[in-house]
Amino acid sequence: MKILKFGGKSLSNGEGINKVVPIITDKVNQGEQIAVVVSARGSATDELEAILAVAAKNGDYKSLLEKFKQYQQNDYTAVDLSEEFAVLDKLYEGVSLIGDYSSKIKDQILSVGELLSAKLLTAILVEKGINAKFADSRIFLKTDSKFGDAQPLEQVSKKNVIQYFKDNAAFVNIVTGFIASNINGITTTLGRNGSNYTASLLANYLNATELQNYTHVDGIYTANPDLVADAKKIDHLTFNEANELANFGATILHAKTIIPLLEKNIPLRILNTFNHENEGTLITATSTSGGIKTLSVLEDLALVNLEGRGLLGKTGVDARIFKVMGDNNISVSIISQGSSERGIGLVVAESQATKAMIELEKEFENDFYSKDVNKISVTDDVSVISIIGQDLSTFHKPYTALIRNKIIPILFNNTVTGKNVSLVVKKHELHKALNVIHGEIFGVSKKINIAVFGHGLVGGTLINQILESAVAIEKRKDIKLNVFAIANSKSVLFNKDGVTPNWTNEIQTNGFSYTIDDVVAYANENHLANLIAVDNTASAAFVENYIPLVENGFDLISSNKVANTLSYGFYKELRKVLAENQKSYLYETNVGAGLPLIDTIKLLHLSGENITKIKGVFSGTLSYLFNNFSAKEVPFSDILKEAIDNGYTEPDPREDLCGNDVGRKLLILARELDLQNEFDEVAIQNLIPEHLREGNVADFLTKLKEFDPIYSKIKEEQEPNHVLRYIGELSGDLQNDKGILEVKLVSVPSDTALGGLKGSDSFFEIYTESYGDRPIVIQGAGAGSAVTARGVFGDILRLSDKG
C-alpha cells in the first residue's frame, strides 16, 4: 500500500482539487492500493483560528464564518456539509457569549477543516466512480489530552489502524489528517505539520511501501526558491539529512513526520500536485551521493547573550541556563560558546527573547553582584542559515564569500558530525547571505552585479561588450555578468535583472537623477551580491564616491586616472579603506589602455625585483603626432590637424599637448613602486607655445601653424638618423621615498625600439636589476575606446574570478 497525502494548497478550489482527483483516480485505475490523507482545504485552518479570535472579542464573526462556508461548499452544493457547519455555528456562538475559549474548544473548531476536506473529496471521488470512503481519524488515532499538540498513544492507535483498514480494505479510504481523539473520544490535534504526521503514522502502522506527500512545489530545493532564484531541486536525500533539514526550519518537513518512516525504512517522496510529471524528491535511508544538500532557514529569532569574565572555569553554568529555559518552556535552537565560557549565545524565538533575558537575570542575580556575569543582552531580528551536509574542511569558501560581501555572521556552530553548519546573521542580511552562500557552494553561475558610471565612448563600448559576451562567458566560466545600473553625472538607469541592449534609449526615458546613496540603497534593497563599481568618467568629483562605495561592499574598477594622482594622502587612505573592507581596486587601463603594464610592474615589485627605471611613450595621441612628423616632410600643423580631424585628440587638443595626461600616468606607475611623489613634482615639458595656452578652443584651432617654426627647428637640429618622441621617464634611486619623474620631448636613434615606433602605439621599457641593460618591452595599441573598454572588461573578469 502507498499512502498519499495532499496539502491545503493542493486541495484548494479550482486548479488544486481539479488536479488531485485525477491523480487519485489514475492510481486506482492502474490497480494501485492506496489510502489518502488530507489537510484542510486552502487556508481553512488559519481562517478558523482567525474567526475564533474575532468571536472571543465578541466581534462580527458571523460574516467571516459565512464567507468560510461559501468557499468550502463552493461548486459542490450537492455535498452535505451541514453537520460540520452546525458544529461551527454552535461552538463559535458559545465562544462569543463567554468571550473566551479553551485549548479543547480550539481543537474541536480547527478539526472541522480536515473533516470538510475529507468529506468533500470522498463525495467527488464517489461521483467519479471510485469506491471511496470518508475515514474520520478520530475513530482510530488515540492520543493523550495535550490539546493543540497531542502525542499519539502508539499501541492502541496501531491496533485500531490495522483493524480499521482490514475492515475497510475494499475502499479507498480518505483520511482526515491533523486530528485525533483522546481515550474519552474528545477531539485533539497533532500540532504543527499534523497532517503529514498522520500520514507517516499510517505508513508506519500499515507497513506502506511509500509515502507520497503532494505539495505545491516540485520537491525539496537547495534553498527556498522564493529567496534564491537559482535554487535547484534535490532528487535524493537521506532520512538523516531530511531530519536535519526539518530541525532547521524546512516548512515542507517536520522532524516528527520523519521518525515513523525511519523506524520502518519507508521511502518518502515529495511531489508537486500541479506538476504531476515531475518525480519530486525521494527520501530514503541511504544515499549514493554525499556533500552539501541544501540551505535551510529559521526566521523570527533573537540571540540572547550572556557575558562574564567570572564564568571562566566555573562549572554548571550551562546546566543553570538550560534549567531556566526548560522551566519557562523556551526552546533553544542553537547554543554557542567559547571554551572559556566567557561568552554564551542562545538562539531563541523572538517572541520568547525578553522572557529568556528576564529569567536569566533572575537566575544569575548573585553573579552580577559578584561581577562574574557582566551583561545579559538580546539581539533582535536575527535568522539562522543551516548548510546541510557542509563539511568544516571546506566551510572557509562560503564564509569567505560572505565576508567579501560585507556580511559578518554573528556566530556559527556545527553538529557533532561536522557535516552541518549553522550561521546566525542579521535578518535584513538573510536574503543576500543565502544567495551568496548558494552561489558559492552549489556550482550555479556566480552572479557579478555591475554598476557602470560614465557611458560615453569607453563606458558605452564596455556596456555593449559585456552584453554581447555575457552568454559565452557564463557558459565558459560559470560567471554571470549583470549590469544593474548605468549612470552619468545627471541620471541613472536601474534594472536588477540586467540592462537590455536598448539601454541607450531606456536611460533617456526611464533614467532619473540620483546620488551614490541611491545606488547603494538599490543594491541593498534587491540583495545584490558581488558588487563592482566601474568608473569610466574623467571626473575628480566622482572619485569622492570611491570610499563610500567600498564601505558599502563594492569592488572598484576605473579607467579614470584621477584617484591615483590626487594627493599621496588620499592615495594611501583609499588603500587603507580597501584593506579594511577586503575590497579590490583595479585600474589597468589608467596607463597603456589595454596593455598589461600595471599588472607587470605590480608583479615585479611584489616579487622583490628592483626596478631601476621606466620610460616610454605614454600617449597614443602624441605617439601618432611625432611618429608621423618624424617620418614625413610636412609641417607639424598638418599632422596635428589630421589627428584632430580623425578624432585622435581631445576636443581641446591642448589637453593632450600640455603633457599633464602623460604626467599623471607616470605618477601612477611611480606610486605602484611605493614612491610618495606628488603630481606637482613631475617635471612636464608643455608642447604648446606659451602664448597659445590660454583662450578658447575655436581661437586656438585657427593658430595651429604657429607650431610649425618651433617644431621644424627642433626636427632640423637633431643628429642624423634620429626621430622625435614625447616620453615619460621615471628614474633616480627608486628604493627611496621619491623618484625623478620627467615628461619631455627627446630625440632618439631611429634604429632603436623606441625610434622604430609606428602609428599611435604606446611603448614602455621597464629596466630592472635582474634584467640589466635589456629592458622588458611592452608595446601595442595604447589608446582608443574599444581597446580601453576591453581593458576594463579584463579587470571585471579578473575580479569576477577572485575568491
Side-chain angles (χ1 to χ4, degrees):
M1 172 182 282
K2 290 181 181 177
I3 306 296
L4 278 58
K5 185 267 171 181
F6 292 95
K9 289 186 180 178
S10 297
L11 293 159
S12 57
N13 284 340
E15 186 185 7
I17 200 158
N18 291 335
K19 291 281 188 181
V20 168
V21 171
I23 289 172
I24 296 171
T25 55
D26 284 351
K27 288 184 179 294
V28 172
N29 292 336
Q30 289 171 18
E32 291 192 46
Q33 188 181 2
I34 63 171
V36 178
V37 176
V38 296
S39 295
R41 297 175 60 231
S43 55
T45 305
D46 290 339
E47 290 173 23
L48 289 169
E49 191 166 4
I51 297 169
L52 184 58
V54 173
K57 294 178 181 177
N58 200 25
D60 180 19
Y61 72 88
K62 290 185 178 179
S63 59
L64 297 174
L65 182 56
E66 194 56 38
K67 186 177 178 182
F68 171 85
K69 291 177 183 178
Q70 287 173 1
Y71 180 90
Q72 293 297 320
Q73 192 85 62
N74 198 38
D75 297 328
Y76 307 103
T77 52
V79 182
D80 183 10
L81 304 176
S82 59
E83 183 182 342
E84 287 71 28
F85 290 160
V87 169
L88 288 178
D89 289 337
K90 180 181 176 183
L91 291 173
Y92 279 129
E93 185 178 6
V95 170
S96 180
L97 289 170
I98 298 171
D100 199 4
Y101 58 88
S102 63
S103 299
K104 176 180 171 182
I105 293 296
K106 182 176 179 180
D107 272 5
Q108 286 181 281
I109 287 174
L110 297 187
S111 70
V112 174
E114 271 69 19
L115 292 168
L116 291 169
S117 182
K119 186 172 279 191
L120 182 72
L121 180 59
T122 303
I124 296 170
L125 289 169
V126 169
E127 188 182 323
K128 298 286 183 183
I130 302 298
N131 191 24
K133 182 177 182 180
F134 167 69
D136 186 341
S137 57
R138 293 177 298 182
I139 297 169
F140 43 78
L141 279 184
K142 296 298 174 179
T143 69
D144 60 20
S145 296
K146 188 181 178 184
F147 298 104
D149 191 19
Q151 299 304 308
L153 303 175
E154 186 170 345
Q155 294 303 320
V156 64
S157 294
K158 182 176 181 179
K159 182 181 176 182
N160 289 347
V161 167
I162 293 171
Q163 188 61 51
Y164 181 89
F165 277 83
K166 183 179 179 182
D167 294 342
N168 295 279
F171 298 98
V172 176
N173 290 285
I174 311 299
V175 183
T176 54
F178 179 57
I179 67 175
S181 66
N182 63 15
I183 294 299
N184 297 320
I186 299 171
T187 299
T188 59
T189 61
L190 302 178
R192 178 189 164 199
N193 234 269
S195 292
N196 287 338
Y197 192 28
T198 302
S200 65
L201 288 172
L202 293 187
N204 179 299
Y205 299 157
L206 297 170
N207 293 316
T209 56
E210 186 172 283
L211 168 55
Q212 297 183 348
N213 186 351
Y214 285 85
T215 68
H216 60 287
V217 293
D218 283 343
I220 297 173
Y221 281 77
T222 50
N224 184 340
D226 294 334
L227 297 176
V228 179
D230 294 324
K232 298 176 179 176
K233 184 176 72 67
I234 303 167
D235 293 327
H236 195 184
L237 281 172
T238 67
F239 281 118
N240 285 339
E241 290 163 343
N243 197 39
E244 289 286 350
L245 188 56
N247 283 329
F248 287 109
T251 55
I252 207 166
L253 292 171
H254 194 280
K256 67 182 182 182
T257 302
I258 295 168
I259 293 168
L261 302 176
L262 185 57
E263 286 178 0
K264 295 283 186 74
N265 196 17
I266 298 168
L268 167 62
R269 193 181 294 275
I270 311 296
L271 294 160
N272 188 348
T273 304
F274 304 93
N275 183 15
H276 188 38
E277 299 304 313
N278 191 288
E279 293 187 359
T281 299
L282 180 64
I283 303 170
T284 60
T286 58
S287 175
T288 55
S289 62
I292 298 169
K293 291 295 168 53
T294 185
L295 304 179
S296 187
V297 171
L298 287 171
E299 296 189 73
D300 301 320
L301 302 173
L303 177 64
V304 180
N305 287 301
L306 188 145
E307 301 170 27
R309 289 177 295 179
L311 298 178
L312 179 61
K314 209 167 192 178
T315 59
V317 173
D318 288 352
R320 292 169 66 190
I321 291 172
F322 278 102
K323 185 176 186 303
V324 170
M325 299 295 107
D327 290 347
N328 290 278
N329 293 316
I330 298 171
S331 177
V332 177
S333 55
I334 290 178
I335 180 169
S336 180
Q337 66 184 70
S339 58
S340 66
E341 294 192 356
R342 289 177 63 175
I344 299 174
L346 310 167
V347 177
V348 302
E350 194 169 24
S351 59
Q352 296 181 306
T354 302
K355 184 178 182 182
M357 182 177 71
I358 292 169
E359 296 301 326
L360 285 170
E361 285 174 345
K362 289 178 185 176
E363 171 65 27
F364 288 92
E365 185 175 3
N366 291 333
D367 300 86
F368 275 104
Y369 288 125
S370 63
K371 297 187 178 178
D372 285 342
V373 174
N374 304 329
K375 183 171 70 171
I376 298 176
S377 60
V378 171
T379 303
D380 289 318
D381 294 327
V382 301
S383 299
V384 173
I385 300 171
S386 296
I387 312 175
I388 309 301
Q390 171 71 68
D391 193 307
L392 278 179
S393 64
T394 58
F395 176 60
H396 65 282
K397 293 179 181 178
Y399 191 83
T400 301
L402 287 173
I403 302 302
R404 199 167 59 242
N405 281 281
K406 293 195 69 66
I407 299 167
I408 314 298
I410 300 169
L411 62 83
F412 73 91
N413 76 346
N414 66 296
T415 57
V416 176
T417 63
K419 297 296 183 183
N420 304 305
V421 175
S422 294
L423 300 164
V424 180
V425 299
K426 293 172 184 172
K427 187 174 183 177
H428 71 270
E429 295 178 333
L430 171 64
H431 196 145
K432 184 176 179 180
L434 268 177
N435 280 273
V436 168
I437 296 172
H438 191 273
E440 188 67 33
I441 63 182
F442 283 112
V444 296
S445 295
K446 181 179 179 183
K447 193 173 186 180
I448 307 297
N449 291 291
I450 304 166
V452 178
F453 298 93
H455 51 83
L457 278 176
V458 173
T461 303
L462 171 68
I463 293 163
N464 291 331
Q465 285 176 352
I466 292 172
L467 295 177
E468 289 163 8
S469 306
V471 173
I473 288 170
E474 184 172 7
K475 186 177 181 181
R476 190 171 67 251
K477 299 180 70 67
D478 271 344
I479 291 171
K480 184 173 184 177
L481 300 178
N482 185 62
V483 180
F484 77 92
I486 300 175
N488 58 15
S489 59
K490 296 176 182 176
S491 63
V492 66
L493 172 70
F494 288 131
N495 188 333
K496 65 182 175 64
D497 298 317
V499 298
T500 71
N502 193 35
W503 64 268
T504 48
N505 291 327
E506 289 173 4
I507 201 166
Q508 291 177 1
T509 55
N510 300 326
F512 56 91
S513 60
Y514 75 104
T515 67
I516 206 68
D517 290 340
D518 296 321
V519 178
V520 170
Y522 185 85
N524 289 337
E525 287 162 9
N526 290 283
H527 315 289
L528 301 181
N530 304 314
L531 297 164
I532 296 177
V534 180
D535 177 11
N536 287 317
T537 73
S539 166
F542 186 78
V543 170
E544 295 174 6
N545 296 316
Y546 279 20
I547 287 176
L549 282 166
V550 170
E551 290 175 338
N552 283 283
F554 283 81
D555 288 296
L556 300 176
I557 292 173
S558 177
S559 63
N560 181 357
K561 293 179 281 290
V562 172
N564 286 323
T565 56
L566 293 175
S567 71
Y568 187 71
F570 175 79
Y571 183 89
K572 295 300 287 184
E573 173 65 15
L574 176 56
R575 278 146 183 84
K576 178 172 174 276
V577 173
L578 286 162
E580 288 171 350
N581 290 274
Q582 300 186 48
K583 292 287 133 188
S584 297
Y585 173 31
L586 301 186
Y587 42 87
E588 185 63 65
T589 55
N590 273 198
V591 186
L595 297 176
L597 176 65
I598 291 176
D599 254 6
T600 302
I601 290 170
K602 274 183 178 178
L603 286 171
L604 287 168
H605 185 55
L606 286 171
S607 71
E609 180 63 79
N610 182 17
I611 295 175
T612 57
K613 182 167 69 174
I614 300 173
K615 76 173 184 178
V617 174
F618 286 69
S619 166
T621 301
L622 297 177
S623 178
Y624 177 87
L625 277 175
F626 287 103
N627 292 346
N628 282 281
F629 180 57
S630 295
K632 299 177 182 179
E633 293 301 322
V634 294
F636 184 83
S637 60
D638 285 3
I639 305 293
L640 178 55
K641 188 172 187 308
E642 187 180 292
I644 294 168
D645 291 344
N646 288 330
Y648 295 159
T649 69
E650 295 294 330
D652 185 344
R654 289 173 294 186
E655 292 182 26
D656 298 295
L657 295 166
C658 72
N660 285 346
D661 182 61
V662 175
R664 280 191 287 270
K665 292 174 180 177
L666 190 62
L667 178 61
I668 289 168
L669 297 188
R671 287 179 170 176
E672 290 302 316
L673 302 182
D674 296 321
L675 299 174
Q676 299 177 19
N677 291 86
E678 300 286 0
F679 183 68
D680 59 12
E681 295 172 331
V682 185
I684 299 174
Q685 180 182 347
N686 193 325
L687 297 174
I688 308 167
E690 195 165 338
H691 69 284
L692 295 179
R693 294 175 188 174
E694 304 296 329
N696 62 49
V697 181
D699 185 49
F700 169 76
L701 293 175
T702 65
K703 299 175 179 178
L704 297 183
K705 288 195 176 293
E706 296 183 31
F707 280 85
D708 292 341
I710 300 168
Y711 287 97
S712 291
K713 185 172 185 292
I714 293 171
K715 183 177 180 180
E716 289 166 3
E717 290 177 350
Q718 294 183 101
E719 293 181 28
N721 300 316
H722 274 58
V723 291
L724 296 173
R725 298 292 182 261
Y726 190 69
I727 68 165
E729 184 172 320
L730 171 61
S731 59
D733 186 353
L734 303 187
Q735 301 305 304
N736 288 329
D737 289 342
K738 294 191 177 184
I740 299 168
L741 282 73
E742 299 175 285
V743 176
K744 55 193 177 183
L745 185 64
V746 297
S747 177
V748 299
S750 58
D751 60 356
T752 61
L754 182 57
L757 202 60
K758 305 291 184 186
S760 60
D761 276 5
S762 290
F763 175 89
F764 304 97
E765 293 178 328
I766 306 167
Y767 292 84
T768 74
E769 198 170 80
S770 299
Y771 286 80
D773 293 334
R774 295 179 64 80
I776 299 168
V777 176
I778 297 175
Q779 178 180 347
S785 58
V787 171
T788 304
R790 191 61 68 181
V792 174
F793 201 168
D795 278 348
I796 290 172
L797 293 176
R798 193 175 293 117
L799 257 187
S800 302
D801 263 342
K802 191 175 179 183

